[in-house]
């Protein structure tokens, strides 16, 4: 069995706080912090945020890397700054994704990485489940219905005699 990776919680909490502060300082939109320790050994935490344009995404990622250096957390790498549609900043135990809204919607990283315990289900799923229980069950016309109803005979249609075709004339 593999051992669960242990991290330094106070240091990770300080790093996440620094990252979120840098994102808020640069007016990043829709900031989401996801704990991924139970899903992967690559990192402990993932932060996802959006920028309004490619220039905004690039400057947000630069600020996150700059702030983390100032606080003593050295970024291991920054990827995607050329196109700046999706810039990834890897800061040891925290991975930061800064994306354009359309790219974020397309890849839907939140739904990929957000794993909830079995007991906690989103409210929308609970409501749908309750609605399904309340809805009356439809009776299916299965084998039991087929046994009760007498089988209908298929009528065989008689074919009309084939017409004789007239011989074709040859063109003159």
């Amino acid at each position: 069995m593999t051992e669960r990776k242990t991290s330094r919680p106070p240091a990770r909490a300080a790093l996440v706080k620094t990252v979120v502060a840098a994102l808020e300082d640069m007016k990043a939109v829709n900031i989401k912090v996801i704990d991924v320790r139970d899903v992967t050994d690559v990192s402990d935490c993932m932060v996802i945020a959006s920028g309004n344009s490619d220039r905004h995404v690039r400057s947000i990622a630069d600020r996150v890397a700059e702030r983390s250096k100032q606080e003593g957390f050295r970024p291991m790498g920054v990827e995607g700054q050329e196109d700046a549609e999706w810039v990834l900043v890897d800061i040891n135990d925290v991975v930061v994704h800064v994306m354009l809204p359309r790219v974020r919607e397309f890849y839907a990283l939140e739904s990929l990485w957000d794993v909830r315990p079995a007991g906690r289900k989103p409210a929308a799923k609970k409501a749908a489940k309750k609605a399904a229980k309340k809805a009356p069950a439809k009776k299916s016309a299965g084998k039991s219905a087929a046994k009760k109803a007498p089988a209908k005979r298929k009528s065989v249609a008689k074919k009309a005699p084939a017409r004789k075709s007239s011989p074709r004339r040859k063109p003159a």
Side-chain angles (χ1 to χ4, degrees):
M1 193 187 253
T2 60
E3 291 182 30
R4 184 173 165 174
K5 184 174 92 170
T6 58
S7 67
R8 300 161 292 168
R12 187 185 69 239
L15 177 56
V16 170
K17 189 175 181 180
T18 301
V19 167
V20 170
L23 292 169
E24 289 174 347
D25 185 41
M26 290 299 294
K27 309 290 186 214
V29 183
N30 199 7
I31 301 168
K32 185 162 185 179
V33 179
I34 303 172
D35 184 6
V36 293
R37 286 178 289 172
D38 294 336
V39 182
T40 184
D41 290 335
V42 174
S43 69
D44 290 346
C45 192
M46 186 175 296
V47 181
I48 304 170
S50 296
N52 298 326
S53 66
D54 58 345
R55 187 176 286 181
H56 189 216
V57 168
R58 189 179 299 121
S59 63
I60 290 170
D62 286 343
R63 178 63 60 95
V64 168
E66 179 184 313
R67 278 277 184 90
S68 63
K69 282 180 189 176
Q70 289 174 354
E71 295 296 321
F73 303 103
R74 187 173 148 247
M76 295 178 70
V78 179
E79 296 292 328
Q81 285 188 319
E82 296 81 31
D83 295 333
E85 289 183 348
W86 178 357
V87 180
L88 182 136
V89 183
D90 185 2
I91 313 167
N92 296 328
D93 293 333
V94 177
V95 176
V96 183
H97 298 271
V98 186
M99 313 165 98
L100 289 175
R102 65 179 168 79
V103 175
R104 184 173 180 173
E105 183 179 336
F106 181 78
Y107 287 102
L109 293 181
E110 291 95 336
S111 62
L112 287 174
W113 289 98
D114 193 12
V115 178
R116 299 177 195 277
R120 291 182 57 208
K121 293 182 180 177
K125 286 186 180 180
K126 284 183 182 179
K129 193 172 183 179
K130 283 182 182 179
K133 284 183 180 179
K134 289 182 181 180
K138 293 182 180 179
K139 293 182 181 179
S140 63
K143 292 180 182 178
S144 60
K147 288 180 183 177
K148 292 178 184 177
K152 292 183 180 180
R153 289 187 177 180
K154 294 182 180 178
S155 61
V156 180
K158 294 181 181 179
K159 285 188 168 181
R163 291 187 200 177
K164 293 183 180 179
S165 60
S166 60
R168 293 188 176 180
R169 296 184 189 174
K170 293 183 181 177

